[in-house]
Amino acid sequence: MSTEADFADAHRLPRTPPPQAPAPPAEDPQTAVLRPVPSERPAKPAPSPMPTAAPTGPTAPTGPAVAAAPTGPAAAAGGPPPENIPPRPTHAPATPPADNPSVPPQTATDRPATDRSAAPRDTAAFHLANSGALWNGDPKRPGAARTADEAAPDDLPPPTGRPLTGPLVPPPPATPPYTPPAPAAHHSVRRTALAAAGLVLGVGLVAGAAAGSWLADDADGSPAAEAVFAHGRETWHSAPVDTLFPPTLNGLGTGPGGADRTWIRIAVAPDSGCADAFDPLLTKALAPVGCNRLVRATYVDATRTSVITVGAVSTKADRTGMQDLRRRFAKEHLDTRTDLMPRPYAAKGTPAAGFGPAQRASWSIRVLDDLPVVVYGVSGFADGRTVDDPQPAAEATRTGATTAPAEAGLGHDAKAVTDRIEQTFRKQAAKGTTEPQ
C-alpha cells in the first residue's frame, strides 16, 4: 500500500513521479569497458486517486466549469476523464521546518532511487569504473571523506568579506645603522709607546752628541789623555819587543780581494836614532817633532814573495806639535810623495838581505796626534827586484789599480802591517796608565 494514504489531506498531495533508472557513471577513458545495459522497464501505473470529502468551503462561482486536463492511463488511451477526480494543485505543499536551517530541504529529485536492481554491484566492471582515482595516484578511494588535515582548497570556509588583519609573513628584522668601530685601546697604547720611545731616542741622540762633543773638547787637556800621551813616549822601551813586534802577524781579509795574509818576523833592528833611517826630505819633514828613539823590524809573508819593514819613531814634541805635523802631512800630501819614502831594514842572512832603497814598491806613513809616535811601513819584493814606479799604499789598494805593487799585493802588505803596529802602540800606551807603578 502506498505511503501517500497516511496523510489525511491526500487529495492535496502531488502525485509521486515514477522511479527513474540511475544514470550510468561517466565514462573514464582509462577504465572504459563494456558493461551490461539494463533493459527498459515499463513505468509503473500511477495509483488511483482517493475519493475526496465534500467541500466545506464556499461554493464555487457559477459559470462554465474548467475542465481538468486528463491524466493517467485514461488520458493516454484517449477516453473520457474519470469522475470525482480533484483538480491538480498549482503549487507544492508546504514543507515543515527542519531542525537545522543550514541544511537545505531534500526534494524528491534529490532522494536516491529506490530501484537499484539494474546497477552493477560486485563486478569487475564496477571496480574498474571506480578505480580511476587509484590509478591516477590518489591513495584514497573515490568518494572517501577527507580528514581535517587533508582538506582540499575547495573545503576551506568561505571568505568572511573582511580584510585580513596583520601581515601574513613576519617582516624581516630591521638592520641597525652602521656604526664605525671604535679604535682599539691597545692601538692607542701602542702609538703612545712608540711616540715615547721615539722621544727618548731623540733626546738620547742629542745628549750623546753633546756629551761626545764635550769629551772631544776636553780630551786635549784631560788628565787621562795627557797621561796616555806621556806614557806613549816611553812605550818603545817599556813594552817587550815581542809585544811591540809580534813574531807572527795574522791579517784576516787584509790581502787583495779580501784574502787572508800572514807575516812572519825575520829581523828586529836595535833601537837607535833617526840618522840614516830616512831620506833627507823625510828627515827634514819630521824635524819639527824631533826624534827621541827609533825601533824597527822586518817581516816576510808566508809565501816568501814580499818583505816589509815596519818602524816607530818616538818624538820629542808635545800634543800641539804632533797635531800640527799631522795637519801638514794631510794638507800637503807628504805621505804620498815618492821622495819622502822611509828606508827599509835589510837584515843580513834573511830574505830581506837584498831589500834596499831601489826595491821599495809601496809605503805608508801615520802621524799620530794622541801619541808622540810616527809609525811607518815599506814593502818590496823578496827576490830583490827593483821597482821603477813605487806607489803609496792608499793608491795601490784601490779597486782597479793595475800597477806592479798593486797587482802583487805590496800595497796591502804595507798598509796592513802599519795598521797592526799602530794599534799595538796605542794599546800599550793606554795600558801603562792603568797598571800600578
Side-chain angles (χ1 to χ4, degrees), residues 393-413:
E395 297 178 4
T397 56
R398 291 178 182 175
T399 303
T402 58
T403 60
E407 292 180 351
L410 297 178
H412 293 81
D413 291 341

Side-chain angles (χ1 to χ4, degrees), residues 15-26:
R15 296 181 179 180
T16 303
Q20 299 178 358

Side-chain angles (χ1 to χ4, degrees), residues 4 13-17 46-47 49 71-72 85-86 88-89:
E4 296 177 358
L13 295 176
R15 296 181 179 180
T16 303
T71 59
I85 296 177
R88 184 181 182 87

